[in-house]
Amino acid sequence: MTAPRIDILTIFPGWFDGPLTTSLLGRANEDARLDLRVHDLRDYTTDRHRSVDDAPYGGGAGMVMRADVLTAAAEAVWNDLPPEATAGRTDPPAGARFVAGGERPRTILLTPRGRRFDQAMARELAAEDRLVLLCGRYEGIDERVHDLVATDEVSIGDYVLFGGEVAAAVIIEAVTRLRPGIVGNDASPADESFADGLLEYPQYTRPADLRGHGVPEVLSSGDHGAVARWRHDQALALTRSRRPDLLGEPDPPCADGGSG
Ligand code: SAM
């Protein structure tokens, strides 16, 4: 089985040095169970200042990421071409299989206006052998990138970040840990929050007593059936109190009657 490949396009490639070289993700990348590649968008510019942004048509605050640079970067990465094959070109590289507006690998533009990322989407993306993540910066991204380069627009939540790098890291972690062979114990992703629509049950380890707070007796009973039942009941109760929406239930009314 070939390792799943994820390409990241960013103006801050160094940002990923930590997340991609540390812990389980770093090890998986190191021993080729994952193929993570980071590309500097500035390598696809042709001007002296290596500009990836310009002033918005129509005026207004902030700068906009340039569609020509992002298109050149995407077409090079999609087709495994060096930056000089696409940088500064107005037409797609000759004979390229993947082109903007045409056939292309799954290319996710990180943007607050995108589909909200969740565990179901992580599962969907974990089935892909190739993903390209496009990290925005500045005030906006030329709309033609949304139209011609991205196949998907994804948001990690209803707030605005400085850039798409954090969002890309969130997606990479959530997606890759669902791939077989990445998490040490393959069973654990199937037995945790959201896997079966519930939050995870409470966990305990030693010591058995912490300042008068003990451990539920059933967990030391050796009765595996009783432990499993307790965990399921706890997961259900926790989900009902914290996230009733996961059970299709309405939020409980505010304790103060919602008067503010
Ligand atoms: N002006 C934009 C807006 O109002 O939607 C926000 C731009 S933000 C400062 C710069 C970049 O950060 C975006 O292009 C996007 O790539 C990334 N970003 C910010 N918030 C995000 C979120 N919630 N999910 C995914 N990406 C986000």
Side-chain angles (χ1 to χ4, degrees), residues 83-99:
E84 52 276 18
T86 61
R89 292 182 68 115
T90 51
D91 52 345
R97 173 176 171 198
F98 301 117
V99 293

Side-chain angles (χ1 to χ4, degrees), residues 49-247:
H49 301 292
R50 308 182 81 209
S51 318
V52 295
D53 60 319
D54 209 334
Y57 275 114
M63 300 294 274
V64 175
M65 291 189 92
R66 288 170 48 167
D68 56 342
V69 174
L70 270 58
T71 300
E75 285 182 335
V77 168
W78 290 337
N79 295 291
D80 288 320
L81 298 170
E84 52 276 18
T86 61
R89 292 182 68 115
T90 51
D91 52 345
R97 173 176 171 198
F98 301 117
V99 293
E103 184 192 350
R104 51 210 196 266
R106 195 127 187 214
T107 301
I108 295 176
L109 178 59
L110 284 324
T111 165
R113 81 182 200 191
R115 183 176 150 207
R116 187 107 57 87
F117 187 66
D118 60 13
Q119 191 72 3
M121 202 193 303
R123 273 194 292 272
E124 178 192 323
L125 297 179
E128 300 278 351
D129 284 330
R130 186 166 184 198
L131 291 175
V132 179
L133 302 178
L134 192 44
C135 305
R137 281 270 159 177
Y138 309 109
E139 261 321 292
I141 299 168
D142 190 303
E143 190 65 21
R144 291 164 290 185
V145 176
H146 294 261
D147 297 339
L148 301 174
V149 177
T151 58
D152 299 73
E153 297 178 357
V154 174
S155 163
I156 60 161
D158 290 351
Y159 37 76
V160 178
L161 305 163
F162 284 129
E165 288 74 15
V166 173
V170 166
I171 290 175
I172 292 167
E173 286 224 1
V175 167
T176 53
R177 68 193 306 285
L178 295 176
R179 294 281 307 202
I182 304 292
V183 176
N185 172 5
D186 272 349
S188 57
D191 184 32
E192 60 188 6
S193 294
F194 310 113
D196 57 359
L198 298 178
L199 300 177
E200 194 178 53
Y201 48 80
Q203 307 260 24
Y204 296 86
T205 185
R206 287 184 293 179
D209 180 88
L210 180 75
R211 301 178 189 184
H213 290 257
V215 174
E217 261 172 42
V218 64
L219 298 178
S220 317
S221 67
D223 180 340
H224 298 302
V227 170
R229 279 192 299 281
W230 181 87
R231 286 180 168 165
H232 179 75
D233 292 349
Q234 290 289 316
L236 198 57
L238 204 57
T239 308
R240 183 156 285 135
S241 74
R242 305 281 166 87
R243 292 290 306 278
D245 57 298
L246 293 176
L247 299 168

Side-chain angles (χ1 to χ4, degrees), residues 7 29 189:
D7 291 284
N29 201 23

